[in-house]
């Protein structure tokens, strides 16, 4: 058997990568903005305001990546996508980054040409009902009609839970998210089932009388939500991953938009590395050493983003819960920047 040098194999594999996979950062710099796949409108996570300005927890991921790579958090373009379009758009190079309340699953990480770059919201599938229905538990929904959006993990999760709990139901599956909401409001179904964060958003932003509706107590799945990138471009994967980690670390270290300039004088070595006072992290990513400083200065740390978009500073009023820092009993844990 003829010996083939490992270097030759590596070079051959690199040459076989599509251009869209091999140089996302170069494409972003040449274009001058990040193409960011988002929902078609999901209050608190990604939605345009009355002036067309996109805001939300997921939009802040787009903004963070733009700040890290281009030095300006405003240099991104929101590309609205429904559930069916999202992975095709990522695979084809239509977007650089999918930041669209997407659950991390084994199948999505292995079989659709994508890979997750972190988790920025821990969620679970739940149920929204009208109080007129007179139920207090999902196990009382036998015979109910359930509205869901097609192309999501909610369909399979609902089927598995219903089978395990011997609950019969009739699915009403609709392609467009807003059409699912309209069907629920119009009474075409008894129940809306999706991620609990989505239910909170729908109840506050879409219902004329939010107090007429309630989210049932059952959470029937784990829905770790986060951004995805294309497989095959590890440099870009690292940039997106560590942009999220920078926001986690900033909250842990109490570095905020308001105090980040003062923190440049800190003697804490973790803060010095985060803010580029001690160089190295930026070079490792192929970015300016102020990559994380720009994220914090222009977008804020994770806690600031959470509070203004979905937490106590927002209409949704979602508790931190699992999305609290690990030191506060949650799952948000900043990986070491060193």
């Amino acid at each position: 058997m003829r010996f083939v040098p490992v270097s030759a194999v590596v070079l051959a594999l690199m040459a076989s990568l599509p251009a869209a996979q091999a140089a996302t950062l170069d494409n972003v710099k040449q274009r001058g903005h990040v193409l960011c796949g988002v929902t078609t409108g999901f209050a608190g996570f990604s939605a345009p305001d009355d002036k067309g300005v996109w805001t939300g927890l997921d939009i802040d991921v787009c903004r963070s990546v733009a700040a890290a790579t281009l030095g300006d958090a405003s240099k991104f373009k929101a590309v609205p996508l429904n559930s069916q379009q999202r992975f095709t758009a990522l695979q084809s190079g239509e977007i650089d980054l999918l930041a669209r309340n997407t659950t991390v699953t084994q199948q999505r990480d292995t079989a659709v040409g994508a890979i997750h770059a972190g988790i920025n919201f821990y969620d679970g599938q739940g149920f929204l009902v009208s109080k007129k229905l007179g139920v207090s538990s999902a196990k009382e929904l036998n015979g109910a009609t359930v509205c869901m959006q097609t192309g999501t993990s909610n369909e399979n999760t609902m089927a598995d839970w219903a089978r395990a709990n011997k609950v019969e139901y009739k699915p009403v599956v609709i392609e467009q998210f807003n059409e699912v909401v309209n069907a629920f409001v119009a009474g075409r179904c008894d129940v809306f089932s999706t991620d609990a964060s989505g239910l909170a958003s729908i109840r506050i932003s879409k219902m004329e009388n939010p107090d007429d509706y309630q989210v049932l107590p059952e959470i029937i799945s784990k829905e770790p939500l986060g951004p995805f990138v294309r497989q095959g471009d590890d440099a870009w994967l690292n940039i997106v991953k560590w942009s999220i980690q920078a926001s986690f670390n900033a909250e842990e270290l109490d570095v905020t938009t308001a105090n980040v300039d003062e923190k440049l004088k800190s003697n804490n070595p973790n803060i010095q590395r985060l803010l580029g006072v001690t160089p190295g992290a930026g070079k490792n990513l192929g970015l300016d050493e102020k990559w994380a400083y720009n994220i914090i200065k222009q977008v804020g740390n994770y806690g600031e983003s959470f509070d203004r978009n979905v937490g106590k500073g927002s209409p949704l009023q979602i508790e931190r819960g699992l999305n609290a820092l690990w030191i506060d009993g949650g799952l948000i844990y900043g990986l070491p920047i060193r």
Side-chain angles (χ1 to χ4, degrees), residues 40 82 94 96 102-103 118 135 146 181 187 207 209 215 226 246 251 259 264 293 303 314 327 331 334-335:
T40 53
N82 64 31
E94 180 184 344
D96 305 309
T102 298
T103 302
V135 300
V146 181
V181 176
M207 301 303 167
N209 297 302
V215 177
E251 184 180 9
N259 71 18
L264 289 169
Y293 167 89
S314 78
I327 51 178
L331 297 177
L335 302 180

Side-chain angles (χ1 to χ4, degrees), residues 172-187:
V172 178
V173 182
I174 301 171
E175 182 173 334
Q176 298 294 336
F177 185 77
N178 286 335
E179 291 178 11
V180 187
V181 176
N182 293 337
F184 177 65
V185 172

Side-chain angles (χ1 to χ4, degrees), residues 36-60:
C36 202
V38 300
T39 66
T40 53
F42 186 1
F45 290 83
S46 55
D49 62 19
D50 55 6
K51 296 181 181 177
V53 177
W54 285 80
T55 61
L57 189 72
D58 291 334
I59 293 298
D60 279 354

